[in-house]
Amino acid sequence: MLGAFILHPKNSYRPRVDKDFAILLQEYAVLPNNPTPNSMSMEFNWLTFNGKSGPATAPMIIRLGDRVRIRLINLGMDHHPIHLHGNTFYVTGTEGGRQPETLWGPGNTVLVGVAQARDIEFVASNPGDWMLHCHLPHHMMNAMASVVGRMTRNMNMPAGAGMEEGMGIMSRGNATSEDKGASLGRGMGAGATMDVNTTNGALTSGKANEAMTGMQHMDHEPMEGRDQSSMSMAVAPNANSVPGFPQDAFMEGPMMAMDKMVERPGNLGLRPGWSGFMQGMMSFVRVLPPDMYDKVMAQVRQAPKKLENSMPGMEHHHGR
């Protein structure tokens, strides 16, 4: 169970808000093939809003023109610069209480430090589906894979080390030991391609084409106006002529879309493929015109009032 105790004042704060949300920031160390977080680890790779990571986080549904308060409470051991797209907010309170209005200042990002809380308020005057997320890139990319090894893909080079080294914990030697190359850090899924046999220099056109096998489907068309669920990542056709490509991870985007898996009433009307760009500490602030707001909220109210797995198929079944 996770929640917040909120003590409301006898006299309501002014100006009055129409929507009041609480988001608790947490982080865990979840090693490969282990569903139980390592509570003793200080190297976190799974970060959450209210116990969920994007795209399984619940969006905040707001009527266009409403005044909104979002209470950000950091229960973790990292600082988080929380960034809101599409709207400008004011920091109106902290873990110490309401701030005098003379201290309010406009912003799009607020740093929520360890054991801190920040209340932000804004008038939702800009319609759209706006991301709210931590702006540290590795906090937006959960379940990173460990990729440690030479940046150039040469013959018979060790592929790297284990998850501990990938998370900066050296089990022996040091980061520049002969059996370790430059660390590529933590990547994600398909973006974390391991070393393959090649030369240290630029590839010939023939070798480049051979190395690009299976990547011919990638194209460079713009995202705008496209069905993002069927998009592929844009990679230059001659990318493998660059020694060491790919040099670290990039967000997979459409190749990671799972709209159906995380379907919920509050997601009604989101663009196809939206889930491919939501990972880690991410959620949506959905500022909707009155008719669409009423439609989405009707779906939310009619949804079964029971606890459901927001990512079916990902359950862990203990052996008997």
Side-chain angles (χ1 to χ4, degrees), residues 120-185:
I120 62 174
E121 295 183 21
F122 61 96
V123 175
S125 57
N126 193 10
D129 301 320
W130 304 109
M131 280 188 178
L132 178 76
H133 62 91
C134 178
H135 221 295
L136 295 176
H138 57 296
H139 291 187
M140 293 185 278
M141 297 189 290
N142 277 352
M144 295 184 185
S146 172
V147 185
V148 184
R150 301 284 187 184
M151 291 189 73
T152 51
R153 301 174 294 178
N154 51 336
M155 185 74 73
N156 300 322
M157 178 59 61
M163 177 57 70
E164 287 77 12
E165 286 83 356
M167 298 175 74
I169 306 172
M170 307 307 295
S171 58
R172 60 186 176 82
N174 57 69
T176 58
S177 297
E178 289 185 358
D179 62 340
K180 299 182 178 68
S183 172
L184 300 187

Short mmCIF file of all heavy atoms in Angstrom, two decimals, residues 120-185:
data_model
loop_
_atom_site.label_atom_id
_atom_site.label_comp_id
_atom_site.label_asym_id
_atom_site.label_seq_id
_atom_site.Cartn_x
_atom_site.Cartn_y
_atom_site.Cartn_z
N ILE A 120 2.98 21.97 -6.92
CA ILE A 120 2.94 22.87 -8.08
C ILE A 120 1.49 23.10 -8.46
O ILE A 120 0.65 22.21 -8.31
CB ILE A 120 3.75 22.30 -9.27
CG1 ILE A 120 3.16 20.96 -9.75
CG2 ILE A 120 5.22 22.13 -8.89
CD1 ILE A 120 3.82 20.44 -11.03
N GLU A 121 1.20 24.30 -8.93
CA GLU A 121 -0.16 24.64 -9.34
C GLU A 121 -0.11 25.39 -10.67
O GLU A 121 0.82 26.14 -10.95
CB GLU A 121 -0.85 25.50 -8.27
CG GLU A 121 -1.06 24.79 -6.96
CD GLU A 121 -1.80 25.63 -5.92
OE1 GLU A 121 -2.49 26.60 -6.33
OE2 GLU A 121 -1.69 25.33 -4.72
N PHE A 122 -1.14 25.15 -11.47
CA PHE A 122 -1.24 25.83 -12.77
C PHE A 122 -2.68 25.79 -13.25
O PHE A 122 -3.48 24.95 -12.81
CB PHE A 122 -0.32 25.18 -13.81
CG PHE A 122 -0.62 23.73 -14.10
CD1 PHE A 122 -1.41 23.38 -15.18
CD2 PHE A 122 -0.11 22.72 -13.29
CE1 PHE A 122 -1.70 22.05 -15.46
CE2 PHE A 122 -0.39 21.39 -13.56
CZ PHE A 122 -1.18 21.05 -14.65
N VAL A 123 -2.99 26.70 -14.14
CA VAL A 123 -4.29 26.69 -14.82
C VAL A 123 -4.11 25.95 -16.14
O VAL A 123 -3.26 26.33 -16.96
CB VAL A 123 -4.82 28.12 -15.05
CG1 VAL A 123 -6.11 28.07 -15.86
CG2 VAL A 123 -5.04 28.83 -13.73
N ALA A 124 -4.87 24.90 -16.33
CA ALA A 124 -4.73 24.04 -17.51
C ALA A 124 -5.42 24.70 -18.70
O ALA A 124 -6.54 24.36 -19.07
CB ALA A 124 -5.32 22.67 -17.24
N SER A 125 -4.73 25.64 -19.31
CA SER A 125 -5.30 26.41 -20.41
C SER A 125 -4.84 25.94 -21.78
O SER A 125 -5.26 26.49 -22.80
CB SER A 125 -4.94 27.89 -20.25
OG SER A 125 -3.53 28.05 -20.19
N ASN A 126 -3.98 24.91 -21.80
CA ASN A 126 -3.40 24.43 -23.06
C ASN A 126 -3.84 22.99 -23.29
O ASN A 126 -3.32 22.07 -22.65
CB ASN A 126 -1.88 24.54 -23.01
CG ASN A 126 -1.24 24.38 -24.37
OD1 ASN A 126 -1.92 24.37 -25.40
ND2 ASN A 126 0.08 24.27 -24.41
N PRO A 127 -4.79 22.75 -24.19
CA PRO A 127 -5.29 21.37 -24.37
C PRO A 127 -4.24 20.46 -24.98
O PRO A 127 -3.42 20.88 -25.80
CB PRO A 127 -6.48 21.55 -25.31
CG PRO A 127 -6.20 22.82 -26.05
CD PRO A 127 -5.46 23.70 -25.10
N GLY A 128 -4.25 19.21 -24.56
CA GLY A 128 -3.32 18.22 -25.11
C GLY A 128 -2.99 17.16 -24.08
O GLY A 128 -3.43 17.20 -22.93
N ASP A 129 -2.20 16.18 -24.52
CA ASP A 129 -1.71 15.12 -23.65
C ASP A 129 -0.25 15.43 -23.36
O ASP A 129 0.63 15.20 -24.20
CB ASP A 129 -1.86 13.75 -24.33
CG ASP A 129 -3.30 13.44 -24.68
OD1 ASP A 129 -4.18 13.76 -23.86
OD2 ASP A 129 -3.55 12.90 -25.78
N TRP A 130 0.02 15.94 -22.17
CA TRP A 130 1.33 16.49 -21.85
C TRP A 130 2.08 15.56 -20.89
O TRP A 130 1.55 15.13 -19.88
CB TRP A 130 1.19 17.88 -21.22
CG TRP A 130 0.43 18.83 -22.09
CD1 TRP A 130 -0.83 19.32 -21.87
CD2 TRP A 130 0.87 19.39 -23.33
NE1 TRP A 130 -1.20 20.16 -22.90
CE2 TRP A 130 -0.17 20.22 -23.81
CE3 TRP A 130 2.04 19.28 -24.08
CZ2 TRP A 130 -0.08 20.93 -24.99
CZ3 TRP A 130 2.13 19.99 -25.27
CH2 TRP A 130 1.10 20.79 -25.72
N MET A 131 3.35 15.30 -21.22
CA MET A 131 4.17 14.44 -20.36
C MET A 131 4.57 15.17 -19.09
O MET A 131 4.91 16.36 -19.11
CB MET A 131 5.43 14.00 -21.09
CG MET A 131 5.23 12.86 -22.07
SD MET A 131 6.82 12.27 -22.69
CE MET A 131 6.26 10.93 -23.74
N LEU A 132 4.55 14.44 -17.99
CA LEU A 132 5.13 14.86 -16.72
C LEU A 132 6.17 13.81 -16.39
O LEU A 132 5.84 12.62 -16.28
CB LEU A 132 4.07 14.94 -15.63
CG LEU A 132 4.59 15.31 -14.24
CD1 LEU A 132 4.91 16.81 -14.17
CD2 LEU A 132 3.58 14.94 -13.16
N HIS A 133 7.43 14.20 -16.21
CA HIS A 133 8.48 13.20 -16.05
C HIS A 133 9.70 13.78 -15.36
O HIS A 133 9.91 14.99 -15.33
CB HIS A 133 8.90 12.64 -17.41
CG HIS A 133 9.49 13.67 -18.34
ND1 HIS A 133 10.84 13.93 -18.40
CD2 HIS A 133 8.90 14.52 -19.23
CE1 HIS A 133 11.06 14.89 -19.30
NE2 HIS A 133 9.91 15.27 -19.82
N CYS A 134 10.51 12.88 -14.80
CA CYS A 134 11.83 13.26 -14.31
C CYS A 134 12.71 13.53 -15.53
O CYS A 134 12.66 12.79 -16.52
CB CYS A 134 12.43 12.16 -13.46
SG CYS A 134 14.11 12.54 -12.87
N HIS A 135 13.52 14.58 -15.46
CA HIS A 135 14.30 14.97 -16.64
C HIS A 135 15.69 14.36 -16.66
O HIS A 135 16.48 14.67 -17.55
CB HIS A 135 14.39 16.49 -16.75
CG HIS A 135 14.23 16.99 -18.14
ND1 HIS A 135 15.14 16.71 -19.14
CD2 HIS A 135 13.26 17.74 -18.73
CE1 HIS A 135 14.74 17.27 -20.27
NE2 HIS A 135 13.60 17.90 -20.06
N LEU A 136 16.02 13.48 -15.71
CA LEU A 136 17.27 12.73 -15.81
C LEU A 136 17.04 11.57 -16.78
O LEU A 136 16.16 10.73 -16.54
CB LEU A 136 17.68 12.20 -14.44
CG LEU A 136 18.05 13.26 -13.40
CD1 LEU A 136 18.35 12.60 -12.06
CD2 LEU A 136 19.23 14.09 -13.86
N PRO A 137 17.78 11.51 -17.89
CA PRO A 137 17.48 10.51 -18.92
C PRO A 137 17.41 9.08 -18.40
O PRO A 137 16.53 8.31 -18.80
CB PRO A 137 18.63 10.69 -19.92
CG PRO A 137 19.03 12.12 -19.77
CD PRO A 137 18.87 12.42 -18.31
N HIS A 138 18.34 8.69 -17.50
CA HIS A 138 18.32 7.30 -17.03
C HIS A 138 17.18 7.04 -16.06
O HIS A 138 16.92 5.89 -15.72
CB HIS A 138 19.66 6.92 -16.42
CG HIS A 138 20.12 7.78 -15.29
ND1 HIS A 138 20.41 9.11 -15.45
CD2 HIS A 138 20.34 7.51 -13.98
CE1 HIS A 138 20.79 9.63 -14.29
NE2 HIS A 138 20.75 8.68 -13.40
N HIS A 139 16.47 8.08 -15.62
CA HIS A 139 15.26 7.87 -14.81
C HIS A 139 14.03 7.73 -15.70
O HIS A 139 12.95 7.45 -15.20
CB HIS A 139 15.07 9.03 -13.83
CG HIS A 139 16.10 9.07 -12.74
ND1 HIS A 139 16.03 9.94 -11.68
CD2 HIS A 139 17.23 8.33 -12.55
CE1 HIS A 139 17.07 9.75 -10.88
NE2 HIS A 139 17.82 8.78 -11.40
N MET A 140 14.20 7.98 -16.99
CA MET A 140 13.11 7.79 -17.95
C MET A 140 13.26 6.49 -18.71
O MET A 140 12.50 6.23 -19.65
CB MET A 140 13.07 8.95 -18.95
CG MET A 140 12.71 10.29 -18.34
SD MET A 140 12.56 11.58 -19.61
CE MET A 140 14.27 12.04 -19.84
N MET A 141 14.23 5.65 -18.35
CA MET A 141 14.50 4.42 -19.10
C MET A 141 14.72 3.29 -18.11
O MET A 141 15.85 2.98 -17.74
CB MET A 141 15.72 4.59 -20.00
CG MET A 141 15.55 5.65 -21.07
SD MET A 141 16.89 5.67 -22.29
CE MET A 141 18.24 6.30 -21.31
N ASN A 142 13.64 2.69 -17.64
CA ASN A 142 13.76 1.58 -16.70
C ASN A 142 14.24 0.32 -17.39
O ASN A 142 14.26 0.22 -18.62
CB ASN A 142 12.41 1.31 -16.04
CG ASN A 142 12.18 2.25 -14.87
OD1 ASN A 142 13.07 2.99 -14.46
ND2 ASN A 142 10.98 2.23 -14.33
N ALA A 143 14.56 -0.68 -16.56
CA ALA A 143 14.96 -2.01 -17.04
C ALA A 143 16.12 -1.91 -18.01
O ALA A 143 16.15 -2.57 -19.03
CB ALA A 143 13.79 -2.74 -17.70
N MET A 144 17.08 -1.08 -17.68
CA MET A 144 18.24 -0.94 -18.58
C MET A 144 19.07 -2.22 -18.57
O MET A 144 19.17 -2.89 -17.56
CB MET A 144 19.10 0.23 -18.12
CG MET A 144 18.41 1.57 -18.24
SD MET A 144 19.54 2.89 -17.81
CE MET A 144 18.42 4.28 -17.88
N ALA A 145 19.65 -2.51 -19.72
CA ALA A 145 20.53 -3.67 -19.83
C ALA A 145 21.96 -3.21 -19.61
O ALA A 145 22.31 -2.08 -19.91
CB ALA A 145 20.38 -4.32 -21.20
N SER A 146 22.77 -4.11 -19.09
CA SER A 146 24.17 -3.77 -18.86
C SER A 146 24.98 -4.01 -20.13
O SER A 146 24.95 -5.08 -20.70
CB SER A 146 24.72 -4.64 -17.73
OG SER A 146 26.12 -4.47 -17.60
N VAL A 147 25.69 -2.99 -20.58
CA VAL A 147 26.55 -3.12 -21.75
C VAL A 147 27.92 -2.58 -21.36
O VAL A 147 28.08 -1.38 -21.21
CB VAL A 147 26.01 -2.34 -22.96
CG1 VAL A 147 26.88 -2.62 -24.18
CG2 VAL A 147 24.59 -2.77 -23.26
N VAL A 148 28.88 -3.45 -21.16
CA VAL A 148 30.20 -3.02 -20.75
C VAL A 148 31.21 -3.68 -21.67
O VAL A 148 31.26 -4.89 -21.79
CB VAL A 148 30.50 -3.41 -19.29
CG1 VAL A 148 31.85 -2.88 -18.85
CG2 VAL A 148 29.41 -2.89 -18.37
N GLY A 149 32.02 -2.91 -22.36
CA GLY A 149 33.01 -3.47 -23.26
C GLY A 149 33.59 -2.40 -24.14
O GLY A 149 33.33 -1.22 -23.97
N ARG A 150 34.43 -2.78 -25.07
CA ARG A 150 35.05 -1.83 -25.99
C ARG A 150 33.99 -1.09 -26.79
O ARG A 150 32.98 -1.66 -27.16
CB ARG A 150 35.99 -2.54 -26.95
CG ARG A 150 37.11 -3.30 -26.25
CD ARG A 150 38.18 -2.36 -25.74
NE ARG A 150 39.32 -3.10 -25.22
CZ ARG A 150 40.36 -2.54 -24.63
NH1 ARG A 150 40.39 -1.21 -24.49
NH2 ARG A 150 41.36 -3.26 -24.17
N MET A 151 34.24 0.17 -27.09
CA MET A 151 33.29 0.91 -27.90
C MET A 151 33.40 0.51 -29.36
O MET A 151 32.48 0.72 -30.14
CB MET A 151 33.49 2.42 -27.73
CG MET A 151 33.10 2.90 -26.35
SD MET A 151 33.10 4.69 -26.19
CE MET A 151 31.63 5.09 -27.13
N THR A 152 34.57 -0.03 -29.78
CA THR A 152 34.68 -0.55 -31.13
C THR A 152 34.50 -2.06 -31.07
O THR A 152 34.92 -2.71 -30.12
CB THR A 152 36.06 -0.22 -31.74
OG1 THR A 152 37.08 -0.63 -30.83
CG2 THR A 152 36.18 1.26 -32.00
N ARG A 153 33.90 -2.60 -32.11
CA ARG A 153 33.52 -4.01 -32.10
C ARG A 153 34.58 -4.83 -32.81
O ARG A 153 34.49 -5.05 -34.01
CB ARG A 153 32.14 -4.16 -32.76
CG ARG A 153 31.08 -3.36 -32.05
CD ARG A 153 29.77 -3.39 -32.79
NE ARG A 153 29.86 -2.72 -34.07
CZ ARG A 153 28.87 -2.64 -34.94
NH1 ARG A 153 27.73 -3.22 -34.69
NH2 ARG A 153 29.03 -1.99 -36.09
N ASN A 154 35.59 -5.24 -32.10
CA ASN A 154 36.68 -5.95 -32.75
C ASN A 154 36.67 -7.44 -32.39
O ASN A 154 36.00 -7.87 -31.46
CB ASN A 154 38.03 -5.33 -32.39
CG ASN A 154 38.22 -5.14 -30.90
OD1 ASN A 154 37.24 -5.06 -30.16
ND2 ASN A 154 39.46 -5.08 -30.46
N MET A 155 37.44 -8.20 -33.15
CA MET A 155 37.43 -9.66 -33.07
C MET A 155 37.84 -10.16 -31.69
O MET A 155 38.82 -9.70 -31.12
CB MET A 155 38.37 -10.22 -34.13
CG MET A 155 38.36 -11.73 -34.23
SD MET A 155 36.87 -12.33 -35.03
CE MET A 155 37.21 -11.86 -36.72
N ASN A 156 37.04 -11.08 -31.15
CA ASN A 156 37.37 -11.80 -29.92
C ASN A 156 37.49 -10.90 -28.69
O ASN A 156 38.12 -11.28 -27.70
CB ASN A 156 38.67 -12.60 -30.10
CG ASN A 156 38.57 -13.62 -31.20
OD1 ASN A 156 37.52 -14.24 -31.38
ND2 ASN A 156 39.64 -13.79 -31.97
N MET A 157 36.90 -9.74 -28.73
CA MET A 157 36.93 -8.86 -27.57
C MET A 157 35.85 -9.30 -26.58
O MET A 157 34.73 -9.59 -27.00
CB MET A 157 36.69 -7.42 -27.99
CG MET A 157 36.66 -6.42 -26.82
SD MET A 157 38.19 -6.41 -25.89
CE MET A 157 39.34 -5.89 -27.15
N PRO A 158 36.18 -9.40 -25.28
CA PRO A 158 35.12 -9.76 -24.32
C PRO A 158 33.92 -8.83 -24.44
O PRO A 158 34.08 -7.63 -24.62
CB PRO A 158 35.82 -9.59 -22.96
CG PRO A 158 37.28 -9.72 -23.26
CD PRO A 158 37.46 -9.15 -24.65
N ALA A 159 32.73 -9.40 -24.35
CA ALA A 159 31.51 -8.60 -24.52
C ALA A 159 31.30 -7.65 -23.36
O ALA A 159 30.56 -6.70 -23.47
CB ALA A 159 30.31 -9.52 -24.66
N GLY A 160 31.94 -7.89 -22.24
CA GLY A 160 31.75 -6.98 -21.11
C GLY A 160 31.69 -7.73 -19.82
O GLY A 160 32.41 -8.70 -19.62
N ALA A 161 30.85 -7.27 -18.94
CA ALA A 161 30.78 -7.86 -17.62
C ALA A 161 29.33 -8.03 -17.20
O ALA A 161 28.44 -7.99 -18.04
CB ALA A 161 31.56 -7.00 -16.63
N GLY A 162 29.10 -8.17 -15.91
CA GLY A 162 27.75 -8.43 -15.43
C GLY A 162 27.00 -7.15 -15.10
O GLY A 162 27.47 -6.04 -15.31
N MET A 163 25.81 -7.34 -14.52
CA MET A 163 24.97 -6.20 -14.18
C MET A 163 25.64 -5.30 -13.15
O MET A 163 25.49 -4.09 -13.17
CB MET A 163 23.61 -6.69 -13.66
CG MET A 163 22.68 -5.57 -13.21
SD MET A 163 22.35 -4.35 -14.50
CE MET A 163 21.33 -5.30 -15.62
N GLU A 164 26.42 -5.91 -12.22
CA GLU A 164 27.06 -5.08 -11.21
C GLU A 164 28.00 -4.06 -11.85
O GLU A 164 27.99 -2.87 -11.51
CB GLU A 164 27.85 -5.96 -10.21
CG GLU A 164 26.96 -6.73 -9.25
CD GLU A 164 26.32 -7.95 -9.90
OE1 GLU A 164 26.74 -8.32 -11.02
OE2 GLU A 164 25.40 -8.52 -9.30
N GLU A 165 28.82 -4.53 -12.79
CA GLU A 165 29.73 -3.60 -13.46
C GLU A 165 28.96 -2.57 -14.27
O GLU A 165 29.32 -1.40 -14.35
CB GLU A 165 30.70 -4.37 -14.37
CG GLU A 165 31.80 -5.10 -13.62
CD GLU A 165 31.35 -6.46 -13.10
OE1 GLU A 165 30.16 -6.79 -13.25
OE2 GLU A 165 32.19 -7.19 -12.54
N GLY A 166 27.86 -3.02 -14.90
CA GLY A 166 27.06 -2.10 -15.69
C GLY A 166 26.43 -1.02 -14.84
O GLY A 166 26.12 0.06 -15.33
N MET A 167 26.22 -1.31 -13.56
CA MET A 167 25.65 -0.33 -12.66
C MET A 167 26.73 0.41 -11.88
O MET A 167 26.47 1.12 -10.92
CB MET A 167 24.67 -1.00 -11.70
CG MET A 167 23.49 -1.64 -12.41
SD MET A 167 22.39 -2.57 -11.32
CE MET A 167 21.56 -1.23 -10.47
N GLY A 168 28.01 0.22 -12.29
CA GLY A 168 29.09 0.96 -11.66
C GLY A 168 29.71 0.27 -10.47
O GLY A 168 30.50 0.88 -9.75
N ILE A 169 29.37 -1.00 -10.23
CA ILE A 169 29.92 -1.73 -9.09
C ILE A 169 30.94 -2.73 -9.64
O ILE A 169 30.57 -3.74 -10.25
CB ILE A 169 28.81 -2.47 -8.32
CG1 ILE A 169 27.69 -1.50 -7.94
CG2 ILE A 169 29.39 -3.16 -7.09
CD1 ILE A 169 26.48 -2.20 -7.35
N MET A 170 32.21 -2.47 -9.45
CA MET A 170 33.25 -3.33 -9.99
C MET A 170 33.51 -4.49 -9.04
O MET A 170 33.77 -4.29 -7.85
CB MET A 170 34.55 -2.53 -10.20
CG MET A 170 34.37 -1.26 -11.03
SD MET A 170 33.54 -1.53 -12.61
CE MET A 170 34.74 -2.54 -13.45
N SER A 171 33.41 -5.71 -9.53
CA SER A 171 33.63 -6.88 -8.69
C SER A 171 35.11 -7.21 -8.57
O SER A 171 35.54 -7.83 -7.60
CB SER A 171 32.87 -8.09 -9.25
OG SER A 171 33.29 -8.36 -10.57
N ARG A 172 35.91 -6.79 -9.54
CA ARG A 172 37.36 -7.01 -9.47
C ARG A 172 38.02 -6.03 -10.43
O ARG A 172 37.41 -5.53 -11.38
CB ARG A 172 37.73 -8.45 -9.86
CG ARG A 172 37.31 -8.84 -11.27
CD ARG A 172 37.58 -10.32 -11.52
NE ARG A 172 37.10 -10.74 -12.81
CZ ARG A 172 37.76 -10.57 -13.95
NH1 ARG A 172 38.96 -10.01 -13.96
NH2 ARG A 172 37.24 -10.98 -15.11
N GLY A 173 39.27 -5.75 -10.18
CA GLY A 173 39.98 -4.82 -11.05
C GLY A 173 39.38 -3.43 -10.99
O GLY A 173 38.81 -3.01 -9.98
N ASN A 174 39.51 -2.73 -12.09
CA ASN A 174 38.95 -1.39 -12.17
C ASN A 174 38.40 -1.16 -13.57
O ASN A 174 38.52 -2.02 -14.44
CB ASN A 174 39.99 -0.32 -11.82
CG ASN A 174 41.22 -0.42 -12.72
OD1 ASN A 174 41.17 -0.13 -13.91
ND2 ASN A 174 42.34 -0.86 -12.14
N ALA A 175 37.79 -0.01 -13.77
CA ALA A 175 37.09 0.25 -15.03
C ALA A 175 38.02 0.26 -16.23
O ALA A 175 37.57 0.06 -17.36
CB ALA A 175 36.35 1.58 -14.94
N THR A 176 39.33 0.46 -16.02
CA THR A 176 40.27 0.49 -17.15
C THR A 176 41.17 -0.73 -17.18
O THR A 176 42.22 -0.72 -17.81
CB THR A 176 41.12 1.77 -17.08
OG1 THR A 176 41.82 1.81 -15.81
CG2 THR A 176 40.26 3.02 -17.21
N SER A 177 40.77 -1.79 -16.47
CA SER A 177 41.54 -3.03 -16.53
C SER A 177 41.61 -3.55 -17.95
O SER A 177 40.74 -3.26 -18.78
CB SER A 177 40.91 -4.09 -15.61
OG SER A 177 40.95 -3.67 -14.27
N GLU A 178 42.63 -4.38 -18.24
CA GLU A 178 42.84 -4.85 -19.61
C GLU A 178 41.67 -5.67 -20.12
O GLU A 178 41.41 -5.71 -21.32
CB GLU A 178 44.13 -5.69 -19.68
CG GLU A 178 45.39 -4.84 -19.53
CD GLU A 178 46.64 -5.67 -19.74
OE1 GLU A 178 46.48 -6.89 -19.96
OE2 GLU A 178 47.74 -5.11 -19.68
N ASP A 179 40.97 -6.35 -19.21
CA ASP A 179 39.86 -7.19 -19.66
C ASP A 179 38.55 -6.43 -19.75
O ASP A 179 37.50 -7.01 -19.95
CB ASP A 179 39.69 -8.40 -18.74
CG ASP A 179 39.35 -7.99 -17.31
OD1 ASP A 179 39.62 -6.83 -16.96
OD2 ASP A 179 38.83 -8.84 -16.57
N LYS A 180 38.61 -5.11 -19.58
CA LYS A 180 37.41 -4.28 -19.70
C LYS A 180 37.72 -3.11 -20.61
O LYS A 180 38.77 -2.49 -20.52
CB LYS A 180 36.95 -3.76 -18.33
CG LYS A 180 36.57 -4.84 -17.33
CD LYS A 180 36.09 -4.20 -16.05
CE LYS A 180 35.66 -5.26 -15.04
NZ LYS A 180 36.81 -6.04 -14.55
N GLY A 181 36.77 -2.83 -21.48
CA GLY A 181 36.91 -1.64 -22.31
C GLY A 181 36.14 -0.50 -21.70
O GLY A 181 35.71 -0.54 -20.55
N ALA A 182 35.97 0.55 -22.50
CA ALA A 182 35.19 1.70 -22.02
C ALA A 182 33.75 1.27 -21.79
O ALA A 182 33.14 0.64 -22.63
CB ALA A 182 35.26 2.83 -23.03
N SER A 183 33.19 1.62 -20.65
CA SER A 183 31.82 1.24 -20.34
C SER A 183 30.85 2.07 -21.16
O SER A 183 30.98 3.28 -21.27
CB SER A 183 31.53 1.45 -18.85
OG SER A 183 30.17 1.26 -18.60
N LEU A 184 29.86 1.39 -21.73
CA LEU A 184 28.81 2.10 -22.45
C LEU A 184 27.66 2.44 -21.53
O LEU A 184 26.64 2.94 -21.98
CB LEU A 184 28.30 1.24 -23.61
CG LEU A 184 29.33 0.85 -24.66
CD1 LEU A 184 28.64 0.14 -25.81
CD2 LEU A 184 30.07 2.06 -25.16
N GLY A 185 27.78 2.15 -20.26
CA GLY A 185 26.70 2.46 -19.33
C GLY A 185 25.56 1.47 -19.46
O GLY A 185 25.73 0.35 -19.93
#
